Amino acid sequence: MPSSSSPTPEKSSKPDKPGKPGESGKAATARKATTAGKATTARKAATARKAATARKAPKAESHLAMVRRARRINRELAEVYPYAHPELDFRNPFELLVATVLSAQTTDLRVNQTTPALFAAYPTPEDMAAAVPEEMEEIIRPTGFFRAKTKSLLGLSAALRDEFGGEVPGRLEDLVKLPGVGRKTANVVLGNAFGVPGITVDTHFGRLVRRWKWTDEEDPVKVEAVVAGIFPKSEWTMLSHRVVFHGRRICHARKPACGACPIAPLCPSYGEGETDPEKARKLLKYEMGGYPGQRLSPPADYPGKPAPALGAE
């Protein structure tokens, strides 16, 4: 006789959620937890990499921010080098013009050691224009490239005598017509002998303004134009002196003394040179390192030692 009670349904042996064949529920749960843990770790690693990349790639600087930073660098350099000056000895525009032409491919120190004998022999453009080339070459030989420089000096002296009444002109367009005189030389003469503002782009100036990210231009004329747009005209001449001073004393070409640099917080290239303060201080030159400067007759407010005469080093 059939039972009146309903049959009890059997429990299914099928797991609640599918797993790998032959895998128990606990094993599946453990596997999923491990997988989830690995995914979390991977996400954290990816986040850390993104953060590190963000730190290594700082936000691009706007032009306005760069201009403000550049002007602050100039103000701070003015405090570091209140005595900044042209490092060529001269007593008049003619001597400065000649000394600047001689300074190509040599140091201002070597020029300063050479010009006393040169100006004793040829004190005026008329005297220099009448010089015997071989005799002038012998005097300026220590500055290098003495034959080419003699040719330039004879040519510019003759031009001053014949076209400008023996006087150095005070206009850029006239100066650059003289043999051996380019924009750099003309701006040195205008700024320091005539008080006409000018930016002197020599190797030091070009190197530093590129390190400071004021411009990436290599051509001196383009560098001059860019920097002229950053600073008021009244600052051009002294800015040139300060930057060149800094390049010669601290921010050297091969191994800048980053650890001893007073404007390091403003420099986007910090770390290119020695950052250890003690080691960096040993790299300082001229008065910053306790050594003589480049001028035999420096200005009265110069804090360093005068340079030695030729043969007295």
Side-chain angles (χ1 to χ4, degrees):
M1 184 173 179
S3 173
S4 60
S5 61
S6 300
T8 301
E10 296 181 2
K11 290 184 178 180
S12 172
S13 62
K14 185 178 180 180
D16 292 338
K17 292 185 180 179
K20 291 185 177 180
E23 184 179 51
S24 67
K26 289 183 178 179
T29 300
R31 177 178 58 78
K32 290 176 182 177
T34 300
T35 302
K38 289 180 178 179
T40 301
T41 301
R43 285 195 297 272
K44 288 181 178 179
T47 301
R49 284 195 297 271
K50 288 181 180 178
T53 302
R55 286 194 297 270
K56 292 178 182 177
K59 185 179 178 181
E61 184 179 44
S62 69
H63 178 73
L64 178 59
M66 181 275 290
V67 169
R68 287 174 174 169
R69 180 172 58 82
R71 292 184 176 185
R72 185 178 171 190
I73 287 175
N74 182 43
R75 290 194 298 271
E76 298 208 7
L77 289 180
E79 294 181 5
V80 177
Y81 309 110
Y83 51 85
H85 58 271
E87 294 192 87
L88 291 169
D89 286 327
F90 69 98
R91 296 169 295 184
N92 54 58
F94 174 63
E95 289 189 356
L96 178 57
L97 176 61
V98 170
T100 307
V101 170
L102 288 176
S103 69
Q105 304 298 316
T106 191
T107 64
D108 286 358
L109 170 59
R110 186 61 70 197
V111 173
N112 292 335
Q113 293 172 327
T114 303
T115 50
L118 181 67
F119 295 136
Y122 316 111
T124 68
E126 292 81 0
D127 295 322
M128 189 168 286
V132 176
E134 292 76 17
E135 293 177 359
M136 182 183 291
E137 288 175 1
E138 195 58 34
I139 294 175
I140 69 171
R141 182 184 290 270
T143 68
F145 302 95
F146 55 90
R147 291 190 179 89
K149 290 178 180 180
T150 294
K151 184 177 180 180
S152 293
L153 294 183
L154 291 173
L156 72 84
S157 297
L160 293 177
R161 178 195 62 195
D162 300 338
E163 300 174 31
F164 298 99
E167 299 291 333
V168 176
R171 299 194 312 164
L172 179 69
E173 53 267 38
D174 292 329
L175 285 167
V176 295
K177 293 177 183 178
L178 299 173
V181 178
R183 286 187 67 90
K184 185 193 83 169
T185 297
N187 279 327
V188 169
V189 174
L190 290 174
N192 298 288
F194 293 99
V196 177
I199 295 173
T200 303
V201 183
D202 68 355
T203 55
H204 301 287
F205 191 96
R207 180 179 75 253
L208 266 62
V209 299
R210 285 187 288 272
R211 276 184 178 164
W212 293 334
K213 310 302 182 187
W214 295 359
T215 180
D216 57 3
E217 295 287 356
E218 295 282 345
D219 179 76
V221 176
K222 293 181 180 179
V223 171
E224 180 186 339
V226 171
V227 177
I230 297 174
F231 296 92
K233 199 170 184 178
S234 59
E235 286 290 316
W236 289 356
T237 299
M238 287 308 301
L239 169 72
S240 300
H241 292 324
R242 294 165 190 150
V243 173
V244 172
F245 256 58
H246 194 63
R248 286 175 170 168
R249 286 150 178 78
I250 297 178
C251 196
H252 314 307
R254 294 186 180 179
K255 200 170 185 180
C258 295
C261 180
I263 61 166
L266 299 172
C267 181
S269 299
Y270 175 80
E272 283 190 12
E274 180 58 66
T275 57
D276 180 84
E278 289 300 321
K279 293 179 180 178
R281 273 192 284 273
K282 295 178 181 179
L283 299 174
L284 300 179
K285 295 183 178 180
Y286 304 113
E287 77 282 355
M288 301 296 285
Y291 304 109
Q294 299 203 79
R295 294 189 67 166
L296 278 66
S297 302
D301 62 345
Y302 178 63
K305 304 172 184 176
L310 190 64
E313 296 102 322

